[in-house]
Amino acid sequence: QLQLVESGGGLVQPGGSLRLSCAASGSTLDYYAIGWFRQAPGKEREGVSCISSSGGNTNYKDSVKGRFTISRDNAKNTVYLQMNSLKPEDTAVYYCAAGSTIVVVGGKYYGMDYWGKGILVTVSS
């Protein structure tokens, strides 16, 4: 069974950068689309970005476009989320998730079958 583990979170000042990693074990990521989600305190979980199994298609939440970049290295069984120009409103627990196909409807992501436990990103001075 596919298992996902996030890493790379932490505390960063506004304007700073972090790179999150989502490492898979138990199965190859080659056949899975991957999504990054986040949940801020008191708010619902929301989709941030997703990438197709081949890496050829990506999607971003409007508020992170131009600041975040999703990528994948199937040889390393890992997906990344490069986050630049971070803002306090990016503070949240970030999760990666995998599905055979991700469907994006109205900015929401559907089709996730496996989830990581999440990692905290705090943007604060």
Side-chain angles (χ1 to χ4, degrees):
Q1 184 171 347
L2 185 66
Q3 296 177 333
L4 303 172
V5 178
E6 302 92 343
S7 62
L11 173 64
V12 63
Q13 292 187 343
S17 298
L18 283 176
R19 188 177 79 159
L20 302 183
S21 298
C22 173
S25 62
S27 179
T28 176
L29 274 183
D30 291 10
Y31 308 113
Y32 290 96
I34 302 296
W36 282 98
F37 296 76
R38 68 186 182 188
Q39 187 167 19
K43 294 187 176 181
E44 292 186 355
R45 187 171 61 194
E46 61 181 6
V48 176
S49 181
C50 61
I51 187 168
S52 61
S53 57
S54 68
N57 292 302
T58 59
N59 181 276
Y60 295 93
K61 178 179 174 61
D62 285 347
S63 63
V64 308
K65 284 180 181 177
R67 300 189 298 123
F68 290 12
T69 303
I70 192 170
S71 62
R72 65 190 300 155
D73 186 340
N74 285 352
K76 294 184 177 180
N77 235 21
T78 302
V79 175
Y80 305 97
L81 185 68
Q82 178 67 43
M83 306 187 295
N84 299 328
S85 303
L86 282 161
K87 304 175 181 180
E89 51 263 42
D90 294 318
T91 295
V93 176
Y94 283 71
Y95 302 86
C96 65
S100 56
T101 302
I102 296 178
V103 177
V104 183
V105 179
K108 294 186 177 182
Y109 301 161
Y110 299 92
M112 318 314 299
D113 297 317
Y114 303 97
W115 290 84
K117 293 184 178 181
I119 192 162
L120 179 62
V121 170
T122 303
V123 184
S124 175
S125 55

